[in-house]
Amino acid sequence: MKLALRLARKGWGMTDPNPMVGAVIVKDGEIIGAGWHQGLGKPHAEVNAIQACQVNPAGAELFVTLEPCNHYGRTPPCTKAIIEAGISKVYYAIADPNPKVIGGGAVALQQAGIKVEAGLEIEAARSLNQGFFHFAKTGRPCVILKAAMSLDGKIACLGGVSKWITGLPARKYVHRLRAQVGAILIGVGTATADDPELTNRLFEPIVRQPLKVLLDSKLRINIQSRIIQHTPEKLLVFCTKEADLEAEKTLRALGVQVIRQPARGRVNLTWVLVTLGELGVQSVMVEGGHEVNAAFLNEDLFDEYYLFYAPILIGGDAAIGLLGATGINSPEAALRVKINQIKKIGNDLLIHSYRKDVT
């Protein structure tokens, strides 16, 4: 199963909205076939593993990171291929949360006389496709905070300069994350200060680009911004009732999708997430400034954190920290997270965490 999980990761950045899945077939104590899901519309991991077998897989055992599907979608059901191959037992890590699948794959295999066992490496399998499971459970995207900062928690120096606090290996890792998420979100302040493209340019193969999401209550974005000039059709701008109608017309003419909130004031973040969920976005990575970060945190909307720390100290009250707003009154009131991994990337440090209550 550990090998199947490693194989599943080969589909990173290529399978969305499908999950990454790996499969290994064992007969008489030897691996005779292995495969992974290589892209949307392509054969699933189980089928690739069966096709890769150098000997007849009849009587063999299949290890797969997700419950085999039992429905027709872009491809035929994997249960059909497993049954026809004569597999005798299937081990899967975790049940597929898809309402079309959940439990159905296991039942279909058992009805065909195939033994089934679930739960091997369940936590690793869930972590591999966190956004997929979260979306299936809530109908809203998994929200990821990504931030690069100094050891004293500053995301920008005095005057707002932030390029580059972390090194190239860390930036490449961020592009790896961009390749996998459904959308990247920033506020208009970050769009104005940093003029980002919000694309994956460093992780290959480049199969797809995430949607770009901009929070801009009054549509103040400069139309010459790179976020607009590069693939405007991939950009969603959320504004409010107060936004200028002519600015909206101009953006739409460029191919930008403008979504107007019926209320005044600030853009409602929960409404944004619900809307993205309705569009099928399973995960969104927030790469905003301290105000946007604080707004998501204060509403307890973050599910996952990728925090990069550079071995530098910036200091100063005027230098911008990770989180804006007023903060909390006591440590007891702090929002706590569950650390999943701490690793060194180049000269920088990455702390990868989840919500404390994540399941």
Side-chain angles (χ1 to χ4, degrees):
M1 190 62 78
K2 289 181 184 294
L3 174 57
L5 286 163
R6 289 199 298 271
L7 289 171
R9 293 186 184 95
K10 291 190 174 188
W12 189 279
M14 296 185 287
T15 64
D16 186 80
N18 288 353
M20 292 174 282
V21 181
V24 174
I25 298 175
V26 177
K27 187 173 184 178
D28 299 327
E30 300 288 337
I31 293 174
I32 62 170
W36 66 95
H37 184 36
Q38 299 179 14
L40 192 63
K42 295 183 178 181
H44 289 186
E46 300 95 318
V47 173
N48 285 331
I50 291 169
Q51 292 178 346
C53 286
Q54 298 300 307
V55 299
N56 190 338
E61 297 178 332
L62 169 68
F63 294 78
V64 61
T65 58
L66 188 69
E67 177 187 1
C69 65
N70 189 43
H71 68 283
Y72 282 88
R74 293 183 177 89
T75 59
C78 290
T79 52
K80 182 174 183 291
I82 294 169
I83 293 167
E84 291 177 349
I87 300 293
S88 64
K89 186 169 184 178
V90 173
Y91 296 87
Y92 67 85
I94 190 168
D96 191 326
N98 187 332
K100 296 179 180 178
V101 178
I102 189 165
V107 169
L109 295 173
Q110 289 169 333
Q111 289 176 342
I114 297 173
K115 296 178 181 179
V116 177
E117 183 175 325
L120 286 178
E121 299 291 333
I122 187 171
E123 292 302 325
R126 181 185 288 113
S127 177
L128 178 66
N129 291 296
Q130 185 70 26
F132 175 76
F133 286 100
H134 184 278
F135 180 77
K137 180 179 179 180
T138 67
R140 293 179 3 185
C142 175
V143 184
I144 304 162
L145 170 60
K146 176 251 116 182
M149 68 196 95
S150 62
L151 287 179
D152 55 338
K154 304 295 185 178
I155 61 173
C157 301
L158 181 66
V161 177
S162 61
K163 293 184 177 180
W164 297 99
I165 287 179
T166 51
L168 181 59
R171 298 201 296 276
K172 285 183 175 180
Y173 196 99
V174 170
H175 282 239
R176 178 179 181 272
L177 297 176
R178 287 181 174 183
Q180 179 64 14
V181 297
I184 305 169
L185 182 149
I186 62 172
V188 68
T190 297
T192 301
D194 296 346
D195 194 22
E197 280 187 45
L198 299 187
T199 56
N200 162 41
R201 302 179 299 281
L202 301 178
F203 180 79
E204 296 181 337
I206 300 175
V207 175
R208 53 175 289 276
Q209 293 288 357
L211 292 175
K212 302 176 288 187
V213 178
L214 176 66
L215 306 182
D216 187 2
S217 297
K218 298 183 180 179
L219 295 183
R220 296 185 288 118
I221 187 68
N222 185 332
I223 62 170
Q224 298 303 319
S225 300
R226 294 200 296 173
I227 197 174
I228 294 175
Q229 293 301 312
H230 294 264
T231 59
E233 71 280 359
K234 300 281 288 187
L235 175 61
L236 282 69
V237 179
F238 287 87
C239 64
T240 69
K241 186 177 181 179
E242 299 168 291
D244 184 78
L245 291 173
E246 284 300 315
E248 178 179 349
K249 184 178 178 180
T250 299
L251 289 172
R252 289 187 180 278
L254 293 170
V256 176
Q257 184 176 352
V258 179
I259 304 175
R260 184 180 289 265
Q261 174 182 295
R264 298 177 182 273
R266 299 175 69 98
V267 173
N268 183 289
L269 299 181
T270 299
W271 169 71
V272 169
L273 295 179
V274 170
T275 303
L276 291 175
E278 291 171 348
L279 295 172
V281 177
Q282 297 184 359
S283 56
V284 56
M285 188 158 68
V286 177
E287 295 194 30
H290 66 301
E291 291 185 2
V292 168
N293 293 343
F296 273 92
L297 188 76
N298 289 342
E299 295 188 32
D300 196 13
L301 294 175
F302 284 123
D303 303 296
E304 193 171 359
Y305 304 82
Y306 283 90
L307 304 177
F308 297 84
Y309 290 88
I312 60 174
L313 298 170
I314 293 176
D317 292 336
I320 301 171
L322 173 65
L323 300 168
T326 55
I328 59 171
N329 296 320
S330 68
E332 290 76 17
L335 192 152
R336 300 185 181 276
V337 300
K338 180 171 65 176
I339 294 178
N340 177 59
Q341 184 182 42
I342 300 175
K343 65 185 296 185
K344 192 175 181 184
I345 300 180
N347 292 322
D348 304 314
L349 188 70
L350 167 63
I351 298 181
H352 176 215
S353 305
Y354 292 108
R355 291 173 62 104
K356 192 69 175 177
D357 60 349
V358 71
T359 56

